[in-house]
Amino acid sequence: MSKTSYPRSFAHPRYWPTWLAIGAMHIVAWFPWRFKLWVGKIIGLLAWRFIKRRRHITETNIALCFPEKSANEQRRLVKEIFIANGMGLVETATGWCRNAESLRHRVAYHGQENLARAQAQGKGVLIVGVHFSTLDIGGALHSLFFSADAVYRPHNNPLFERFMTRARSRVFGQAIDRHDLRGMVRRIKSGRTVWYSPDQDYGRDVSVFAPLFGQQAATIRLTAKIARLTGAPVVPLMYHRNPDNQTYTITCLPALDNFPSGDEVADATRVNEFIEQAIRKHPEQYLWLHRRFKTRPEGEAGVY
C-alpha cells in the first residue's frame, strides 16, 4: 500500500468535493455500458472545448509526432484523443468500483504464454505498460488472468490518494509508490510481477535521450536499472479499447531479449520502440495531454 500519511478525519469541508467525486465514480461505474461511455464522451468533448491549456499540449504533441498528417487530420485526432480520455475516466471508475469478474466477457487476452513463460523463470517479472486511457480498466481485466503489483504516482489529495490506492490494491497485489525503488526490487526478487509504465518525462537527472516518434525524448533509465538489479525478464504489454467500444484487447509480447544490454541509450530506445508501436495501434487512446517532450536536449528550445 501507499506510504502516504493520512489525516485522522476527512470530514473537513475542503474534502467535500472529493467525496462528491468519489461518490460520482461509484454511481457511474454501475451505469449501463453504452450510456456510461456516452457520458465519458461528453466529458471529453467538454474538456476539449474548455481546457485550452491541455488542448494546446495535445496539439503540440500531435504536430511533433504525426507530421505526415494534414492539419485537418491532426485536429480530428486531437478531438478523438479528448473523447477517448473522457471515456477513460468512466472506465477507470468501472475498474476501481466494480468486481473485475463482471467484465470477463469484455476482454480477449493474446500472448498469455509469453507472460507465463517469463514467470516460470522464477525471477519475478517487470511488465512495461503504457499510459493509455484504458490503463486502469486494463489493469482490472489483466487481473482476471495474472496477479501483478502496480507502480503509481501518489495523488496530492490525501482522500483521493487513499481511495485510489485502496481501489488499485483490490485489483493489483500491491500499489507501489514510483519513488520506492527498493520496494519494486524487493517485490520482484520475491517472485512477484510488477507493472510499470516508463513513458512519461521525469526530467533530465533520471533520463537519457532516446528517439520516440522522431523526437529526442527524455526517457527514464529505471527500466533497465530494475532489470539489472533483479535479473527479471522485461515483458511489454498492450491494452486497447476495441472500435466497438464494448470490448478490450490485451496483448502480451515476448520478453525483451538481451535486456538490459549495458548501453543506457540503446535500452531506452528499445523501450521507446515498443511504446511507439503500442501507441500507433490506437493513437487516440494515449494520454497525449501530458507534456511528454518538456525536457529538451541541451540547446533546444521548449516546444510547449
PDB file of all heavy atoms in Angstrom, residues 78-108:
ATOM      1  N   VAL A  78      -6.859  15.158 -32.378  1.00  0.00           N
ATOM      2  CA  VAL A  78      -6.865  15.814 -31.065  1.00  0.00           C
ATOM      3  C   VAL A  78      -8.244  15.692 -30.419  1.00  0.00           C
ATOM      4  O   VAL A  78      -8.370  15.367 -29.226  1.00  0.00           O
ATOM      5  CB  VAL A  78      -6.457  17.295 -31.197  1.00  0.00           C
ATOM      6  CG1 VAL A  78      -6.749  18.061 -29.901  1.00  0.00           C
ATOM      7  CG2 VAL A  78      -4.971  17.406 -31.542  1.00  0.00           C
ATOM      8  N   LYS A  79      -9.288  15.917 -31.194  1.00  0.00           N
ATOM      9  CA  LYS A  79     -10.649  15.791 -30.665  1.00  0.00           C
ATOM     10  C   LYS A  79     -10.934  14.357 -30.238  1.00  0.00           C
ATOM     11  O   LYS A  79     -11.516  14.119 -29.171  1.00  0.00           O
ATOM     12  CB  LYS A  79     -11.653  16.238 -31.724  1.00  0.00           C
ATOM     13  CG  LYS A  79     -13.085  16.386 -31.218  1.00  0.00           C
ATOM     14  CD  LYS A  79     -13.972  16.993 -32.299  1.00  0.00           C
ATOM     15  CE  LYS A  79     -15.377  17.228 -31.800  1.00  0.00           C
ATOM     16  NZ  LYS A  79     -16.231  17.841 -32.862  1.00  0.00           N
ATOM     17  N   GLU A  80     -10.497  13.390 -31.041  1.00  0.00           N
ATOM     18  CA  GLU A  80     -10.693  11.980 -30.700  1.00  0.00           C
ATOM     19  C   GLU A  80      -9.940  11.615 -29.426  1.00  0.00           C
ATOM     20  O   GLU A  80     -10.407  10.783 -28.634  1.00  0.00           O
ATOM     21  CB  GLU A  80     -10.217  11.094 -31.853  1.00  0.00           C
ATOM     22  CG  GLU A  80     -11.098  11.182 -33.092  1.00  0.00           C
ATOM     23  CD  GLU A  80     -10.486  10.442 -34.276  1.00  0.00           C
ATOM     24  OE1 GLU A  80      -9.315  10.003 -34.158  1.00  0.00           O
ATOM     25  OE2 GLU A  80     -11.167  10.332 -35.316  1.00  0.00           O
ATOM     26  N   ILE A  81      -8.780  12.225 -29.220  1.00  0.00           N
ATOM     27  CA  ILE A  81      -7.991  11.963 -28.009  1.00  0.00           C
ATOM     28  C   ILE A  81      -8.753  12.414 -26.767  1.00  0.00           C
ATOM     29  O   ILE A  81      -8.818  11.694 -25.760  1.00  0.00           O
ATOM     30  CB  ILE A  81      -6.624  12.668 -28.100  1.00  0.00           C
ATOM     31  CG1 ILE A  81      -5.732  11.951 -29.119  1.00  0.00           C
ATOM     32  CG2 ILE A  81      -5.942  12.743 -26.731  1.00  0.00           C
ATOM     33  CD1 ILE A  81      -4.533  12.748 -29.563  1.00  0.00           C
ATOM     34  N   PHE A  82      -9.361  13.584 -26.823  1.00  0.00           N
ATOM     35  CA  PHE A  82     -10.123  14.059 -25.669  1.00  0.00           C
ATOM     36  C   PHE A  82     -11.337  13.174 -25.414  1.00  0.00           C
ATOM     37  O   PHE A  82     -11.671  12.875 -24.256  1.00  0.00           O
ATOM     38  CB  PHE A  82     -10.531  15.515 -25.870  1.00  0.00           C
ATOM     39  CG  PHE A  82      -9.487  16.499 -25.441  1.00  0.00           C
ATOM     40  CD1 PHE A  82      -8.459  16.847 -26.293  1.00  0.00           C
ATOM     41  CD2 PHE A  82      -9.516  17.061 -24.182  1.00  0.00           C
ATOM     42  CE1 PHE A  82      -7.472  17.745 -25.895  1.00  0.00           C
ATOM     43  CE2 PHE A  82      -8.545  17.959 -23.766  1.00  0.00           C
ATOM     44  CZ  PHE A  82      -7.511  18.298 -24.628  1.00  0.00           C
ATOM     45  N   ILE A  83     -11.992  12.737 -26.476  1.00  0.00           N
ATOM     46  CA  ILE A  83     -13.138  11.848 -26.315  1.00  0.00           C
ATOM     47  C   ILE A  83     -12.693  10.530 -25.670  1.00  0.00           C
ATOM     48  O   ILE A  83     -13.310  10.041 -24.713  1.00  0.00           O
ATOM     49  CB  ILE A  83     -13.810  11.583 -27.673  1.00  0.00           C
ATOM     50  CG1 ILE A  83     -14.509  12.860 -28.172  1.00  0.00           C
ATOM     51  CG2 ILE A  83     -14.812  10.433 -27.575  1.00  0.00           C
ATOM     52  CD1 ILE A  83     -15.039  12.755 -29.594  1.00  0.00           C
ATOM     53  N   ALA A  84     -11.605   9.956 -26.181  1.00  0.00           N
ATOM     54  CA  ALA A  84     -11.118   8.680 -25.648  1.00  0.00           C
ATOM     55  C   ALA A  84     -10.699   8.805 -24.191  1.00  0.00           C
ATOM     56  O   ALA A  84     -10.942   7.895 -23.380  1.00  0.00           O
ATOM     57  CB  ALA A  84      -9.951   8.180 -26.494  1.00  0.00           C
ATOM     58  N   ASN A  85     -10.078   9.925 -23.835  1.00  0.00           N
ATOM     59  CA  ASN A  85      -9.649  10.104 -22.449  1.00  0.00           C
ATOM     60  C   ASN A  85     -10.828  10.395 -21.534  1.00  0.00           C
ATOM     61  O   ASN A  85     -10.804  10.021 -20.354  1.00  0.00           O
ATOM     62  CB  ASN A  85      -8.590  11.196 -22.366  1.00  0.00           C
ATOM     63  CG  ASN A  85      -7.208  10.686 -22.720  1.00  0.00           C
ATOM     64  OD1 ASN A  85      -6.488  10.178 -21.879  1.00  0.00           O
ATOM     65  ND2 ASN A  85      -6.828  10.806 -23.990  1.00  0.00           N
ATOM     66  N   GLY A  86     -11.874  11.050 -22.054  1.00  0.00           N
ATOM     67  CA  GLY A  86     -13.101  11.199 -21.280  1.00  0.00           C
ATOM     68  C   GLY A  86     -13.742   9.856 -21.002  1.00  0.00           C
ATOM     69  O   GLY A  86     -14.185   9.571 -19.875  1.00  0.00           O
ATOM     70  N   MET A  87     -13.776   9.006 -22.026  1.00  0.00           N
ATOM     71  CA  MET A  87     -14.277   7.650 -21.838  1.00  0.00           C
ATOM     72  C   MET A  87     -13.406   6.889 -20.849  1.00  0.00           C
ATOM     73  O   MET A  87     -13.885   6.052 -20.068  1.00  0.00           O
ATOM     74  CB  MET A  87     -14.344   6.941 -23.186  1.00  0.00           C
ATOM     75  CG  MET A  87     -15.376   7.552 -24.128  1.00  0.00           C
ATOM     76  SD  MET A  87     -15.195   7.026 -25.855  1.00  0.00           S
ATOM     77  CE  MET A  87     -15.669   5.307 -25.741  1.00  0.00           C
ATOM     78  N   GLY A  88     -12.101   7.195 -20.879  1.00  0.00           N
ATOM     79  CA  GLY A  88     -11.194   6.544 -19.955  1.00  0.00           C
ATOM     80  C   GLY A  88     -11.510   6.851 -18.499  1.00  0.00           C
ATOM     81  O   GLY A  88     -11.269   6.014 -17.616  1.00  0.00           O
ATOM     82  N   LEU A  89     -12.051   8.040 -18.226  1.00  0.00           N
ATOM     83  CA  LEU A  89     -12.414   8.378 -16.849  1.00  0.00           C
ATOM     84  C   LEU A  89     -13.504   7.456 -16.319  1.00  0.00           C
ATOM     85  O   LEU A  89     -13.428   6.975 -15.177  1.00  0.00           O
ATOM     86  CB  LEU A  89     -12.860   9.839 -16.770  1.00  0.00           C
ATOM     87  CG  LEU A  89     -11.792  10.902 -17.004  1.00  0.00           C
ATOM     88  CD1 LEU A  89     -12.415  12.288 -16.972  1.00  0.00           C
ATOM     89  CD2 LEU A  89     -10.688  10.797 -15.953  1.00  0.00           C
ATOM     90  N   VAL A  90     -14.538   7.209 -17.130  1.00  0.00           N
ATOM     91  CA  VAL A  90     -15.614   6.340 -16.652  1.00  0.00           C
ATOM     92  C   VAL A  90     -15.156   4.881 -16.650  1.00  0.00           C
ATOM     93  O   VAL A  90     -15.634   4.079 -15.840  1.00  0.00           O
ATOM     94  CB  VAL A  90     -16.896   6.523 -17.490  1.00  0.00           C
ATOM     95  CG1 VAL A  90     -17.395   7.961 -17.386  1.00  0.00           C
ATOM     96  CG2 VAL A  90     -16.693   6.150 -18.941  1.00  0.00           C
ATOM     97  N   GLU A  91     -14.228   4.530 -17.536  1.00  0.00           N
ATOM     98  CA  GLU A  91     -13.652   3.186 -17.493  1.00  0.00           C
ATOM     99  C   GLU A  91     -12.830   3.000 -16.223  1.00  0.00           C
ATOM    100  O   GLU A  91     -12.851   1.927 -15.608  1.00  0.00           O
ATOM    101  CB  GLU A  91     -12.788   2.950 -18.730  1.00  0.00           C
ATOM    102  CG  GLU A  91     -13.588   2.818 -20.011  1.00  0.00           C
ATOM    103  CD  GLU A  91     -12.711   2.847 -21.249  1.00  0.00           C
ATOM    104  OE1 GLU A  91     -11.691   3.570 -21.249  1.00  0.00           O
ATOM    105  OE2 GLU A  91     -13.055   2.153 -22.218  1.00  0.00           O
ATOM    106  N   THR A  92     -12.104   4.039 -15.820  1.00  0.00           N
ATOM    107  CA  THR A  92     -11.346   3.978 -14.572  1.00  0.00           C
ATOM    108  C   THR A  92     -12.282   3.769 -13.395  1.00  0.00           C
ATOM    109  O   THR A  92     -12.016   2.944 -12.507  1.00  0.00           O
ATOM    110  CB  THR A  92     -10.528   5.263 -14.382  1.00  0.00           C
ATOM    111  OG1 THR A  92      -9.547   5.351 -15.415  1.00  0.00           O
ATOM    112  CG2 THR A  92      -9.841   5.290 -13.023  1.00  0.00           C
ATOM    113  N   ALA A  93     -13.399   4.507 -13.372  1.00  0.00           N
ATOM    114  CA  ALA A  93     -14.390   4.325 -12.308  1.00  0.00           C
ATOM    115  C   ALA A  93     -14.881   2.886 -12.281  1.00  0.00           C
ATOM    116  O   ALA A  93     -15.040   2.282 -11.209  1.00  0.00           O
ATOM    117  CB  ALA A  93     -15.557   5.289 -12.520  1.00  0.00           C
ATOM    118  N   THR A  94     -15.104   2.316 -13.454  1.00  0.00           N
ATOM    119  CA  THR A  94     -15.567   0.929 -13.526  1.00  0.00           C
ATOM    120  C   THR A  94     -14.510  -0.029 -13.003  1.00  0.00           C
ATOM    121  O   THR A  94     -14.810  -0.957 -12.233  1.00  0.00           O
ATOM    122  CB  THR A  94     -15.920   0.566 -14.981  1.00  0.00           C
ATOM    123  OG1 THR A  94     -16.898   1.493 -15.475  1.00  0.00           O
ATOM    124  CG2 THR A  94     -16.464  -0.844 -15.079  1.00  0.00           C
ATOM    125  N   GLY A  95     -13.257   0.187 -13.404  1.00  0.00           N
ATOM    126  CA  GLY A  95     -12.176  -0.679 -12.951  1.00  0.00           C
ATOM    127  C   GLY A  95     -11.949  -0.606 -11.458  1.00  0.00           C
ATOM    128  O   GLY A  95     -11.579  -1.607 -10.828  1.00  0.00           O
ATOM    129  N   TRP A  96     -12.163   0.570 -10.879  1.00  0.00           N
ATOM    130  CA  TRP A  96     -11.929   0.753  -9.448  1.00  0.00           C
ATOM    131  C   TRP A  96     -13.107   0.318  -8.585  1.00  0.00           C
ATOM    132  O   TRP A  96     -12.914  -0.101  -7.442  1.00  0.00           O
ATOM    133  CB  TRP A  96     -11.621   2.219  -9.153  1.00  0.00           C
ATOM    134  CG  TRP A  96     -10.273   2.670  -9.612  1.00  0.00           C
ATOM    135  CD1 TRP A  96      -9.316   1.918 -10.213  1.00  0.00           C
ATOM    136  CD2 TRP A  96      -9.732   3.984  -9.490  1.00  0.00           C
ATOM    137  NE1 TRP A  96      -8.202   2.686 -10.493  1.00  0.00           N
ATOM    138  CE2 TRP A  96      -8.431   3.964 -10.056  1.00  0.00           C
ATOM    139  CE3 TRP A  96     -10.214   5.190  -8.985  1.00  0.00           C
ATOM    140  CZ2 TRP A  96      -7.620   5.089 -10.113  1.00  0.00           C
ATOM    141  CZ3 TRP A  96      -9.406   6.319  -9.038  1.00  0.00           C
ATOM    142  CH2 TRP A  96      -8.114   6.267  -9.591  1.00  0.00           C
ATOM    143  N   CYS A  97     -14.321   0.457  -9.095  1.00  0.00           N
ATOM    144  CA  CYS A  97     -15.508   0.309  -8.252  1.00  0.00           C
ATOM    145  C   CYS A  97     -16.338  -0.939  -8.536  1.00  0.00           C
ATOM    146  O   CYS A  97     -17.312  -1.192  -7.824  1.00  0.00           O
ATOM    147  CB  CYS A  97     -16.407   1.547  -8.396  1.00  0.00           C
ATOM    148  SG  CYS A  97     -15.595   3.113  -7.993  1.00  0.00           S
ATOM    149  N   ARG A  98     -16.002  -1.677  -9.582  1.00  0.00           N
ATOM    150  CA  ARG A  98     -16.738  -2.907  -9.905  1.00  0.00           C
ATOM    151  C   ARG A  98     -15.822  -4.112  -9.741  1.00  0.00           C
ATOM    152  O   ARG A  98     -14.601  -4.007  -9.832  1.00  0.00           O
ATOM    153  CB  ARG A  98     -17.253  -2.858 -11.348  1.00  0.00           C
ATOM    154  CG  ARG A  98     -18.276  -1.772 -11.638  1.00  0.00           C
ATOM    155  CD  ARG A  98     -19.658  -2.159 -11.141  1.00  0.00           C
ATOM    156  NE  ARG A  98     -20.152  -3.380 -11.768  1.00  0.00           N
ATOM    157  CZ  ARG A  98     -20.809  -3.420 -12.932  1.00  0.00           C
ATOM    158  NH1 ARG A  98     -21.039  -2.284 -13.616  1.00  0.00           N
ATOM    159  NH2 ARG A  98     -21.262  -4.557 -13.422  1.00  0.00           N
ATOM    160  N   ASN A  99     -16.421  -5.255  -9.536  1.00  0.00           N
ATOM    161  CA  ASN A  99     -15.674  -6.504  -9.496  1.00  0.00           C
ATOM    162  C   ASN A  99     -15.205  -6.828 -10.902  1.00  0.00           C
ATOM    163  O   ASN A  99     -15.993  -6.850 -11.850  1.00  0.00           O
ATOM    164  CB  ASN A  99     -16.568  -7.619  -8.948  1.00  0.00           C
ATOM    165  CG  ASN A  99     -15.803  -8.904  -8.703  1.00  0.00           C
ATOM    166  OD1 ASN A  99     -14.935  -9.283  -9.489  1.00  0.00           O
ATOM    167  ND2 ASN A  99     -16.112  -9.565  -7.607  1.00  0.00           N
ATOM    168  N   ALA A 100     -13.917  -7.086 -11.074  1.00  0.00           N
ATOM    169  CA  ALA A 100     -13.380  -7.349 -12.402  1.00  0.00           C
ATOM    170  C   ALA A 100     -14.039  -8.553 -13.062  1.00  0.00           C
ATOM    171  O   ALA A 100     -14.141  -8.615 -14.291  1.00  0.00           O
ATOM    172  CB  ALA A 100     -11.869  -7.561 -12.316  1.00  0.00           C
ATOM    173  N   GLU A 101     -14.514  -9.491 -12.271  1.00  0.00           N
ATOM    174  CA  GLU A 101     -15.129 -10.697 -12.839  1.00  0.00           C
ATOM    175  C   GLU A 101     -16.337 -10.348 -13.708  1.00  0.00           C
ATOM    176  O   GLU A 101     -16.626 -11.047 -14.689  1.00  0.00           O
ATOM    177  CB  GLU A 101     -15.541 -11.650 -11.718  1.00  0.00           C
ATOM    178  CG  GLU A 101     -15.932 -13.035 -12.190  1.00  0.00           C
ATOM    179  CD  GLU A 101     -14.807 -13.760 -12.912  1.00  0.00           C
ATOM    180  OE1 GLU A 101     -13.661 -13.713 -12.426  1.00  0.00           O
ATOM    181  OE2 GLU A 101     -15.088 -14.371 -13.972  1.00  0.00           O
ATOM    182  N   SER A 102     -17.022  -9.266 -13.384  1.00  0.00           N
ATOM    183  CA  SER A 102     -18.190  -8.865 -14.173  1.00  0.00           C
ATOM    184  C   SER A 102     -17.799  -8.368 -15.561  1.00  0.00           C
ATOM    185  O   SER A 102     -18.668  -8.176 -16.421  1.00  0.00           O
ATOM    186  CB  SER A 102     -18.962  -7.766 -13.429  1.00  0.00           C
ATOM    187  OG  SER A 102     -18.199  -6.555 -13.371  1.00  0.00           O
ATOM    188  N   LEU A 103     -16.502  -8.156 -15.800  1.00  0.00           N
ATOM    189  CA  LEU A 103     -16.022  -7.648 -17.082  1.00  0.00           C
ATOM    190  C   LEU A 103     -15.377  -8.726 -17.937  1.00  0.00           C
ATOM    191  O   LEU A 103     -14.914  -8.441 -19.043  1.00  0.00           O
ATOM    192  CB  LEU A 103     -15.005  -6.518 -16.838  1.00  0.00           C
ATOM    193  CG  LEU A 103     -15.443  -5.367 -15.942  1.00  0.00           C
ATOM    194  CD1 LEU A 103     -14.266  -4.435 -15.669  1.00  0.00           C
ATOM    195  CD2 LEU A 103     -16.583  -4.599 -16.576  1.00  0.00           C
ATOM    196  N   ARG A 104     -15.332  -9.957 -17.452  1.00  0.00           N
ATOM    197  CA  ARG A 104     -14.583 -11.003 -18.142  1.00  0.00           C
ATOM    198  C   ARG A 104     -15.030 -11.184 -19.591  1.00  0.00           C
ATOM    199  O   ARG A 104     -14.219 -11.429 -20.488  1.00  0.00           O
ATOM    200  CB  ARG A 104     -14.689 -12.326 -17.383  1.00  0.00           C
ATOM    201  CG  ARG A 104     -13.824 -13.436 -17.985  1.00  0.00           C
ATOM    202  CD  ARG A 104     -13.957 -14.722 -17.181  1.00  0.00           C
ATOM    203  NE  ARG A 104     -13.309 -14.644 -15.884  1.00  0.00           N
ATOM    204  CZ  ARG A 104     -12.015 -14.887 -15.681  1.00  0.00           C
ATOM    205  NH1 ARG A 104     -11.234 -15.220 -16.709  1.00  0.00           N
ATOM    206  NH2 ARG A 104     -11.500 -14.819 -14.469  1.00  0.00           N
ATOM    207  N   HIS A 105     -16.321 -11.055 -19.843  1.00  0.00           N
ATOM    208  CA  HIS A 105     -16.828 -11.275 -21.197  1.00  0.00           C
ATOM    209  C   HIS A 105     -16.430 -10.160 -22.162  1.00  0.00           C
ATOM    210  O   HIS A 105     -16.664 -10.272 -23.361  1.00  0.00           O
ATOM    211  CB  HIS A 105     -18.355 -11.398 -21.165  1.00  0.00           C
ATOM    212  CG  HIS A 105     -19.058 -10.139 -20.771  1.00  0.00           C
ATOM    213  ND1 HIS A 105     -19.019  -9.621 -19.480  1.00  0.00           N
ATOM    214  CD2 HIS A 105     -19.803  -9.251 -21.488  1.00  0.00           C
ATOM    215  CE1 HIS A 105     -19.718  -8.510 -19.417  1.00  0.00           C
ATOM    216  NE2 HIS A 105     -20.211  -8.260 -20.624  1.00  0.00           N
ATOM    217  N   ARG A 106     -15.806  -9.119 -21.650  1.00  0.00           N
ATOM    218  CA  ARG A 106     -15.434  -7.984 -22.493  1.00  0.00           C
ATOM    219  C   ARG A 106     -13.963  -8.005 -22.923  1.00  0.00           C
ATOM    220  O   ARG A 106     -13.513  -7.082 -23.603  1.00  0.00           O
ATOM    221  CB  ARG A 106     -15.718  -6.663 -21.769  1.00  0.00           C
ATOM    222  CG  ARG A 106     -17.189  -6.452 -21.458  1.00  0.00           C
ATOM    223  CD  ARG A 106     -17.490  -5.040 -20.974  1.00  0.00           C
ATOM    224  NE  ARG A 106     -18.906  -4.870 -20.682  1.00  0.00           N
ATOM    225  CZ  ARG A 106     -19.837  -4.591 -21.588  1.00  0.00           C
ATOM    226  NH1 ARG A 106     -19.481  -4.428 -22.858  1.00  0.00           N
ATOM    227  NH2 ARG A 106     -21.104  -4.464 -21.244  1.00  0.00           N
ATOM    228  N   VAL A 107     -13.202  -9.006 -22.558  1.00  0.00           N
ATOM    229  CA  VAL A 107     -11.757  -8.964 -22.824  1.00  0.00           C
ATOM    230  C   VAL A 107     -11.290 -10.192 -23.591  1.00  0.00           C
ATOM    231  O   VAL A 107     -11.754 -11.313 -23.349  1.00  0.00           O
ATOM    232  CB  VAL A 107     -10.962  -8.837 -21.499  1.00  0.00           C
ATOM    233  CG1 VAL A 107     -11.229 -10.010 -20.576  1.00  0.00           C
ATOM    234  CG2 VAL A 107      -9.478  -8.678 -21.775  1.00  0.00           C
ATOM    235  N   ALA A 108     -10.385  -9.960 -24.527  1.00  0.00           N
ATOM    236  CA  ALA A 108      -9.625 -11.029 -25.194  1.00  0.00           C
ATOM    237  C   ALA A 108      -8.159 -10.801 -24.862  1.00  0.00           C
ATOM    238  O   ALA A 108      -7.646  -9.687 -25.014  1.00  0.00           O
ATOM    239  CB  ALA A 108      -9.848 -10.978 -26.703  1.00  0.00           C
TER     240      ALA A 108
END
